[in-house]
């Protein structure tokens, strides 16, 4: 017999389902040489021959030496043929639903047991030949079959066969099956582990490669876009600003009388040109900001932000404006305020816009107060469906930044609209407050970019509270 | 699902999904303990030395099925730890139904949500929509302090689509209920797709009775199913009638 192929080599990689749900063969699960070793030590212990067949009919293990009786019988042609026929018959026995006992021409007994794994028969155990106590003598028909056999020798050799009751053999088989089951289980486990390991390594590798390629592509595209955008913005702002600065500069010089005295009317006209020029410049800067935000090319440079410091900075920047207007500007922050993960420049811009508004829309003698407090915000997955609803409505640590004034307030139906670009309450061109109506739309976009929210509340007894709430920590949901 | 015509056997794959340490393995252990020796095979755990699932756990369960179609259930858990992403994708492949084991502790809300998105993504990677997957959610570890309240869960569960169960897996509470709920959904779903009852005489109520009995359930199946605090078991129950 040629050496069977090593089961390890036969184990080509298979999917998890194939390895757990489909039929597995005995050959898949055990190492043949280990099985042979086990059968060998079993033989040493009980002296009963053991053969293990897989369900597919492959002999996986057998003890090499023949009982002497059988060696002797094989020297004669008729008994040899009978034995071959017996072996064929025994091999074909299906031990289902119950174990089968088969008698040999010698009168010795074979017993065939089914070997199950995972509630399926995957092989057979054949134990024998052995003498059962009911039959002490060799079958006399043997000599009829082959008269030249020596009865004395037959008797002696028969007596050397192991003696056992079928009950004992069944018990032995049960223990053997128990041990084999453990071996099969370990084999199965090892098979799964190796396959899973291979598969998951391959899968991770594939995923990484895909991601790398995508990232590289996206990176290249972004780099190109970024270059184009910077170029464009730089050109446009330069082209617009250069003539405008001249207009502003010259009109300022004119109004200061550097080019000669002007009469009151002339000075008024020039001053108007100067003011409108300044306004136009502001508008251009705002538009540039907005276009950056809109094209999504604005990148946030997030880091740990000390909110108290930020508020102080904003108040001191605006203090002169507030003083000029006769509005009291303060900031207050509770002790032990946690830091915030955000882009400090952009947050500053948000607070500046809100505070400028607050000062602008608060009459003399009023107050504007900046404050900050740790808070929570609801996180919904934003998936727009009810899948796993119950898992998603979680609170996320956040920071609320408040700009409260005692000014003119914003009516309920205007609250939603003031965030629109260019929208101003009482949009008549003669309104005294000035501005272009871009401030809040920029605020909204900057806050959105932080995954945050802006809310307008009424202040009591009068005025407005703008509450900006942004997540305090890095987001980790990637899906 | 695999159908072996010759052997008249149906193999169904159920997967326990969820964040790390939510109690997926504990659920399987409790199921294994509850089941009788005839129907349950060895619980196979492929884990690390500190009991964290490395590849998966597998509990094979076999039931005769009263309609002449035997049913083999392969119940898997995935490894919850974030790094085992690709293993989870491999294990969830070919799942017929999913039990999502969430950790009830308030501090774990974020991990639950992340793991759920992960499930959604992994199903998608196999071309499956979460929406079409039989799914139950179990809130485990009800015995711990600072868990989300029963009322809160019931309220949210009522709005959601999937049946929600409360459990203490370490004590085996709610484990069988969750499992039967999942099996009910899964079998009804498979039946709707493949007409197993019509073509092969699969008797789902009979199967559920058998499973319930073999898992030591003392209440009738209808009551076990009613243990769900929300979601829609009835939708499918309606289809069956
Ligand atoms: N108090 C309490 N502890 C539980 C409960 N269920 C599970 N645990 C404990 O939680 C820990 C993790 O449980 P596992 O079942 O191993 O968790 P897992 O989901 O399989 O974790 P991974 O394999 O890492 O994904 C163990 O220490 C369990 O004893 C429960 O209902 N209550
Ligand atoms: N604190 C406030 N109190 C009352 N009204 C306000 C307040 N803040 C904003 N508004 C109203 O919302 C409008 C839009 O504000 P926004 O900041 O966008 O524009 P603006 O201040 O008018 O112009 P810009 O900011 O571009 O200079 C304002 O014109 C004003 O009518
Ligand atoms: Mg403004
Ligand atoms: Mg586990």
């Amino acid at each position: 017999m040629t050496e069977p192929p090593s089961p390890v080599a036969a184990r080509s990689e298979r999917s998890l389902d194939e390895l757990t749900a489909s039929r597995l063969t005995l050959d898949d699960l055990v190492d043949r040489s280990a099985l042979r070793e086990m059968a060998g030590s079993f033989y040493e212990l009980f002296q009963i021959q053991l053969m293990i067949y897989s369900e597919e009919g492959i002999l996986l293990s057998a003890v090499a030496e023949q009982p002497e009786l059988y060696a002797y019988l094989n020297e004669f042609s008729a008994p040899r043929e009978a034995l071959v026929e017996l072996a064929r018959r025994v091999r074909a026995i299906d031990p289902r639903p119950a174990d089968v006992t088969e008698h040999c021409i010698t009168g010795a007994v074979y017993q065939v047991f089914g070997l199950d794994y995972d509630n399926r028969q995957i092989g057979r155990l054949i134990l024998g030949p052995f003498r059962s106590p009911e039959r002490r003598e060799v079958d006399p028909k043997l000599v009829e079959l082959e008269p030249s056999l020596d009865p004395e020798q037959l008797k002696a050799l028969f007596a050397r066969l192991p003696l056992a009751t079928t009950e004992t053999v069944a018990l032995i088989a049960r223990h053997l099956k128990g041990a084999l089951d453990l071996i099969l289980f370990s084999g199965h486990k090892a098979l799964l582990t190796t396959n899973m390991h291979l598969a998951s390594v391959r899968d991770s590798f594939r995923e990484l490669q895909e991601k790398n390629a995508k990232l590289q592509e996206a990176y290249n595209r972004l780099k190109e876009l970024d270059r184009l955008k910077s170029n464009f913005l730089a050109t446009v702002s330069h082209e617009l600003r250069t003539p405008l600065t001249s207009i502003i500069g010259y009109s300022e010089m004119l109004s200061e009388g550097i080019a000669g005295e002007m009469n009151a009317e002339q000075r008024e006209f020039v001053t108007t040109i100067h003011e409108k020029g300044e306004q136009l410049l502001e508008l251009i800067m705002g538009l540039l900001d907005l276009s950056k935000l809109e094209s999504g090319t604005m990148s946030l440079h997030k880091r740990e932000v000390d909110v108290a410091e930020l508020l102080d900075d904003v108040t001191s920047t605006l203090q002169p404006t507030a003083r000029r207007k006769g509005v009291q500007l303060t900031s207050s922050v509770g002790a032990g305020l946690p830091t915030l993960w955000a882009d400090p420049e952009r947050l500053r811009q948000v607070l500046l816009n809100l505070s400028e508004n607050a000062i602008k829309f608060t009459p003399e003698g009023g107050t504007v107060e900046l404050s900050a407090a740790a808070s929570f915000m609801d996180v919904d997955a934003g998936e727009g469906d009810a899948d796993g609803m119950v898992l998603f409505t979680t609170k996320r640590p956040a920071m609320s930044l408040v700009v409260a004034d005692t000014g003119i307030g914003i009516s309920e139906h205007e609250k939603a609209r003031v965030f629109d670009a260019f929208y101003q309450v009482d949009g008549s061109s003669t309104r005294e407050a000035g501005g272009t109506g871009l401030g809040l739309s920029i605020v909204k976009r900057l806050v959105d970019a932080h995954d945050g929210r802006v809310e307008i509340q009424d202040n009591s007894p009068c005025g407005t509270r703008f509450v900006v709430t942004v997540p305090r920590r890095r987001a980790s949901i990637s899906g | 699902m695999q159908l072996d015509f010759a052997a008249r056997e149906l193999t169904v794959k159920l997967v326990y999904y969820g964040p790390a340490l939510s109690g997926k393995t504990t659920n399987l252990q409790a199921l294994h303990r509850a089941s009788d020796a005839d129907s349950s095979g060895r619980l196979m755990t492929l884990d690390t030395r500190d009991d964290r699932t490395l590849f998966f756990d597998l509990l094979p369960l076999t039931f005769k099925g009263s309609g002449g179609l035997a049913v083999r259930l392969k119940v898997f858990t995935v490894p919850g730890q974030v790094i085992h992403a690709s293993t989870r994708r491999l294990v969830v492949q070919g799942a017929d139904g999913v039990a999502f084991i969430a950790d009830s502790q308030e501090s774990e809300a974020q991990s639950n949500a992340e793991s759920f998105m992960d499930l959604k993504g992994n199903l998608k990677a196999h071309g499956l929509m979460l929406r079409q997957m039989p799914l139950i959610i179990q809130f485990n570890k009800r015995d711990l302090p600072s868990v989300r309240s029963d009322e809160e869960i019931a309220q949210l569960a009522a709005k959601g689509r999937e049946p929600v169960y409360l459990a203490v897996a370490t004590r085996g509470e709610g484990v069988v209920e969750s499992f039967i709920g999942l099996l009910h959904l899964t079998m009804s779903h498979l039946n709707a797709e493949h007409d197993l009852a019509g073509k092969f005489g699969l008797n789902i109520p009979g199967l559920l009775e058998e499973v319930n009995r073999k898992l030591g359930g003392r209440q009738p199946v209808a009551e076990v199913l009613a243990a769900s605090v929300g979601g829609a078991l009835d939708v499918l129950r309606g289809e069956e009638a």
Side-chain angles (χ1 to χ4, degrees):
Chain A
M1 197 173 76
T2 55
E3 184 68 11
S6 147
V8 177
R11 285 171 190 176
S12 61
E13 200 182 312
R14 277 177 281 172
S15 82
L16 180 59
D17 281 348
E18 282 172 317
L19 291 172
T20 53
S22 334
R23 281 171 193 289
L24 284 168
T25 67
L26 194 51
D27 224 2
D28 288 329
L29 298 180
V30 289
D31 185 70
R32 283 193 193 186
S33 60
L35 202 61
R36 272 198 299 273
E37 243 174 76
M38 188 192 131
S41 64
F42 170 85
Y43 179 65
E44 256 174 47
L45 196 59
F46 296 105
Q47 292 299 310
I48 298 180
Q49 299 242 356
L50 164 68
M51 284 189 282
I52 303 175
Y53 279 93
S54 75
E55 189 65 5
E56 294 70 33
I58 304 167
L59 177 62
L60 295 179
S61 164
V63 174
E65 56 192 281
Q66 250 180 352
E68 291 155 290
L69 174 64
Y70 289 76
Y72 176 57
L73 289 175
N74 271 325
E75 291 169 16
F76 303 87
S77 69
R80 186 167 58 235
E81 272 158 38
L83 285 179
V84 169
E85 167 59 22
L86 170 80
R88 210 185 43 70
R89 207 168 60 233
V90 170
R91 258 205 310 276
I93 285 174
D94 185 357
R96 270 176 301 193
D99 311 332
V100 176
T101 306
E102 180 73 22
H103 289 272
C104 166
I105 46 166
T106 62
V109 180
Y110 285 91
Q111 264 184 291
V112 186
F113 302 91
L115 188 60
D116 291 359
Y117 183 71
D118 191 15
N119 270 315
R120 278 188 183 127
Q121 182 166 309
I122 63 164
R124 284 166 301 146
L125 301 179
I126 302 174
L127 271 75
F130 60 91
R131 287 181 297 148
S132 71
E134 302 96 67
R135 183 181 275 282
R136 295 268 165 180
E137 294 292 313
V138 69
D139 195 330
K141 286 207 278 291
L142 205 51
V143 191
E144 289 168 26
L145 183 73
E146 179 59 63
S148 52
L149 285 168
D150 172 4
E152 280 313 307
Q153 181 149 12
L154 279 180
K155 193 175 165 191
L157 293 179
F158 187 76
R160 290 202 204 156
L161 286 177
L163 178 68
T165 64
T166 48
E167 290 76 25
T168 314
V169 172
L171 190 67
I172 292 173
R174 210 175 74 217
H175 286 292
L176 189 62
K177 281 179 3 180
L180 266 173
D181 191 55
L182 263 178
I183 293 178
L184 293 181
F185 181 70
S186 318
H188 193 192
K189 202 164 152 167
L191 181 65
L192 288 173
T193 311
T194 5
N195 272 275
M196 278 305 287
H197 189 71
L198 280 177
S200 70
V201 167
R202 177 162 327 97
D203 199 56
S204 306
F205 181 69
R206 181 192 54 73
E207 196 184 22
L208 270 181
Q209 270 193 325
E210 267 172 25
K211 277 202 177 139
N212 277 347
K214 268 194 205 142
L215 277 178
Q216 188 61 46
E217 198 183 306
Y219 177 71
N220 292 343
R221 221 176 33 233
L222 277 180
K223 236 173 34 185
E224 178 61 13
L225 269 180
D226 194 53
R227 204 180 52 77
L228 287 176
K229 179 217 69 182
S230 315
N231 269 352
F232 174 76
L233 286 179
T235 316
V236 169
S237 69
H238 183 76
E239 294 300 313
L240 288 173
R241 263 179 355 203
T242 320
L244 202 51
T245 6
S246 304
I247 293 170
I248 293 169
Y250 283 111
S251 57
E252 192 169 17
M253 288 194 290
L254 276 178
S255 67
E256 280 167 4
I258 290 172
E261 270 317 301
M262 286 182 289
N263 65 33
E265 201 175 3
Q266 285 170 331
R267 199 160 35 243
E268 192 197 321
F269 288 178
V270 171
T271 311
T272 309
I273 292 174
H274 180 242
E275 269 173 19
K276 296 293 167 194
E278 291 275 14
Q279 253 179 43
L280 190 56
L281 187 61
E282 221 172 277
L283 174 63
I284 289 167
M285 300 308 286
L287 280 175
L288 283 175
D289 255 356
L290 202 62
S291 80
K292 271 194 231 173
L293 290 175
E294 235 159 27
S295 63
T297 52
M298 180 204 51
S299 42
L300 293 181
H301 301 288
K302 290 194 182 182
R303 46 193 163 86
E304 294 291 341
V305 179
D306 181 334
V307 176
E309 222 169 71
L310 185 69
L311 295 196
D312 279 350
D313 179 52
V314 171
T315 32
S316 58
T317 307
L318 290 179
Q319 211 53 264
T321 321
R323 214 169 292 137
R324 225 175 293 138
K325 182 107 199 269
V327 170
Q328 193 191 340
L329 175 64
T330 59
S331 81
S332 75
V333 166
L337 195 68
T339 57
L340 176 64
W341 183 253
D343 182 334
E345 252 327 293
R346 299 302 180 175
L347 272 194
R348 199 176 107 90
Q349 209 176 338
V350 165
L351 289 173
L352 274 176
N353 269 314
L354 293 178
S355 313
E356 269 174 358
N357 282 351
I359 297 168
K360 187 157 58 170
F361 298 105
T362 300
E364 196 175 336
T367 59
V368 171
E369 190 181 341
L370 277 62
S371 61
S375 63
F376 286 92
M377 61 195 295
D378 280 338
V379 184
D380 54 343
E383 295 268 310
D385 57 33
D387 290 328
M389 250 286 288
V390 62
L391 297 167
F392 283 104
T393 26
T394 57
K395 302 262 183 224
R396 192 167 167 194
M399 178 79 74
S400 294
L401 305 167
V402 182
V403 179
D405 62 49
T406 57
I408 59 172
I410 302 177
S411 72
E412 211 52 51
H413 73 281
E414 302 281 7
K415 276 180 185 159
R417 304 167 66 183
V418 290
F419 291 110
D420 294 345
F422 301 111
Y423 186 83
Q424 296 180 308
V425 179
D426 172 26
S428 62
S429 54
T430 52
R431 70 203 285 274
E432 53 179 293
T436 53
L438 280 180
L440 286 180
S441 67
I442 291 174
V443 165
K444 176 88 171 70
R445 291 200 169 110
L446 287 174
V447 174
D448 281 350
H450 277 90
D451 293 324
R453 268 164 232 167
V454 207
E455 224 183 301
I456 308 178
Q457 299 166 355
D458 292 330
N459 202 6
S460 81
C462 64
T464 318
R465 282 164 60 85
F466 277 85
V467 184
V468 171
T469 310
V470 286
R472 209 189 304 155
R473 294 207 282 265
R474 282 175 223 224
S476 46
I477 290 193
S478 49
Chain B
M1 185 198 83
Q2 286 183 18
L3 192 60
D4 184 335
F5 290 95
R8 299 201 62 78
E9 261 178 14
L10 177 69
T11 305
V12 174
K13 177 171 181 178
L14 302 172
V15 176
Y16 277 53
Y17 212 96
L21 295 177
S22 67
K24 301 174 291 296
T25 301
T26 311
N27 259 272
L28 239 62
Q29 286 164 341
L31 270 182
H32 186 229
R33 261 198 308 278
S35 54
D36 72 333
D38 268 3
S39 14
S40 139
R42 270 202 191 81
L43 172 62
M44 186 184 286
T45 51
L46 306 182
D47 53 12
T48 58
R49 215 184 283 172
D50 55 351
D51 287 339
R52 306 300 299 270
T53 303
L54 181 59
F55 290 125
F56 55 76
D57 306 307
L58 166 59
L59 177 65
L61 295 167
T62 315
F63 299 100
K64 287 188 193 63
S66 50
L69 191 61
V71 178
R72 294 168 157 270
L73 303 177
K74 303 284 171 187
V75 193
F76 287 86
T77 69
V78 299
Q81 283 172 289
V82 178
I83 50 162
H84 299 309
S86 65
T87 309
R88 277 192 295 281
R89 192 160 44 240
L90 289 168
V91 174
V92 86
Q93 179 171 28
D96 297 303
V98 175
F100 187 89
I101 309 300
D103 192 322
S104 298
Q105 296 177 90
E106 265 158 6
S107 54
E108 298 305 307
Q110 176 94 357
S111 323
N112 289 335
E114 280 169 28
S115 172
F116 195 77
M117 293 313 292
D118 180 60
L119 167 64
K120 197 166 182 169
N122 282 338
L123 287 174
K124 212 171 190 177
H126 296 302
L128 293 170
M129 300 292 291
L130 177 67
R131 165 119 326 166
Q132 282 146 20
M133 175 64 65
L135 173 74
I136 64 121
I137 294 178
Q138 180 193 89
F139 276 90
N140 187 29
K141 306 198 184 179
R142 300 303 301 159
D143 57 325
L144 292 182
S146 68
V147 296
R148 307 175 68 179
S149 74
D150 288 5
E151 297 75 47
E152 189 189 347
I153 289 175
Q155 229 175 42
L156 286 166
K159 289 192 229 162
R161 181 175 68 89
E162 49 291 288
V164 174
Y165 292 85
L166 304 178
V168 184
T170 35
R171 299 204 291 252
E173 292 168 25
V175 168
V176 172
E177 287 81 352
S178 311
F179 181 74
I180 300 244
L182 172 64
L183 188 62
H184 168 83
L185 275 185
T186 307
M187 295 311 296
S188 309
H189 183 84
L190 288 176
N191 186 40
E193 277 193 342
H194 303 284
D195 190 21
L196 298 170
K199 287 192 193 138
F200 308 99
L202 176 72
N203 172 358
I204 296 177
L207 175 70
L208 290 178
E209 286 295 344
E210 182 189 349
V211 174
N212 186 37
R213 198 171 56 244
K214 300 243 166 105
L215 292 179
R218 291 204 192 81
Q219 299 164 297
V221 170
E223 260 171 62
V224 177
L225 289 175
S228 150
V229 296
L233 273 165
D234 333 338
V235 176
L236 285 170
R237 229 180 287 166
E239 277 173 15
E240 246 175 70

